[in-house]
Amino acid sequence: CLPREQSLTLSGGMGDPLYRKAARIARSAHTGPRRITYTPVSLIGYRQMMPPRLPDLVNLDWQMRFAELLRGMPIELTCRPHPEGLFSNRPNPLGDVVPLSPRVFEDLIADTDVFVFDYIQSTTFYEALCTDRPIVLIDFGLPIYTGDARALLEARCRIVPARFDERNRPHVDTKELTEAVCGGDRLADPIAFRELLAGRER
């Protein structure tokens, strides 16, 4: 702690170059259905993260059921799983449900109208926050952000809560998810997160 007579000054640089680059990627012209990019989190085996993720079996089951839900919507779906984890060098079972894109996330930004995430502790999520595209976020109930940070997240994202059944499998309301993915404005306001992550334009 600082003595009462001293003050603390916080200063920052120009922001993270990765997030600045994402903020400058314009959406490509498109006249068809909304282009949705879903980026499932990696499966991590016996390791665990903080805050914790769903166990791998539960997570894979969720990802496959969720991708099938998305596939049934009137959208153009791109699924890009995290390149690391248990399936980094072998086929991902999610490919049995939807085609998986081999492109890196940064190459998908221009061709995306709405991003869909179910985990926020990833670089790709923060890249998406800096774009002007809407974000649908599935909320499993982990209190990762509270207070002002939670308010920023709620203002930026379309949050769809998940519920857990008697087998501890997560589910979302299909109608609520469809409205979040297919409805609403085609643009979102990224300014608050750009200032935090990418720095102010000078």
Side-chain angles (χ1 to χ4, degrees), residues 165-181:
D165 65 18
E166 67 281 355
R167 298 167 62 189
N168 287 323
R169 299 187 309 165
H171 300 266
V172 291
D173 182 88
T174 303
K175 181 180 179 182
E176 188 173 1
L177 177 65
T178 303
E179 289 175 352
V181 171

Side-chain angles (χ1 to χ4, degrees), residues 12 28 51 59 61 69 89 95 98 122 126 134 136 152 154 185-186 190 194:
S28 61
N59 212 336
D61 173 75
L69 264 182
N89 295 310
V98 291
S122 69
Y126 294 97
V136 174
L152 280 174
E154 291 176 349
D185 294 334
R186 289 185 173 269
R194 283 183 181 178

Side-chain angles (χ1 to χ4, degrees), residues 44-139:
I44 53 178
Y46 291 108
R47 297 183 298 130
Q48 188 50 277
M49 302 293 184
M50 182 58 67
R53 299 181 184 179
L54 296 173
D56 279 356
L57 288 177
V58 176
N59 212 336
L60 181 59
D61 173 75
W62 153 259
Q63 290 175 11
M64 296 179 77
R65 288 185 293 107
F66 186 67
E68 191 136 21
L69 264 182
L70 291 173
R71 191 183 64 173
M73 296 180 185
I75 61 173
E76 184 180 309
L77 177 62
T78 296
C79 185
R80 171 54 173 158
H82 196 287
E84 299 176 1
L86 295 183
F87 298 115
S88 59
N89 295 310
R90 53 182 171 166
N92 190 321
L94 194 55
D96 294 336
V97 179
V98 291
L100 305 182
S101 174
R103 299 166 66 190
V104 297
F105 181 79
E106 291 72 21
D107 290 343
L108 297 173
I109 293 176
D111 298 326
T112 298
D113 297 313
V114 178
F115 294 100
V116 178
F117 288 91
D118 50 24
Y119 189 72
I120 68 174
Q121 296 295 88
S122 69
T123 304
T124 53
F125 178 70
Y126 294 97
E127 286 182 86
L129 285 174
C130 291
T131 73
D132 61 1
R133 267 40 69 80
I135 296 173
V136 174
L137 175 61
I138 308 304
D139 183 5

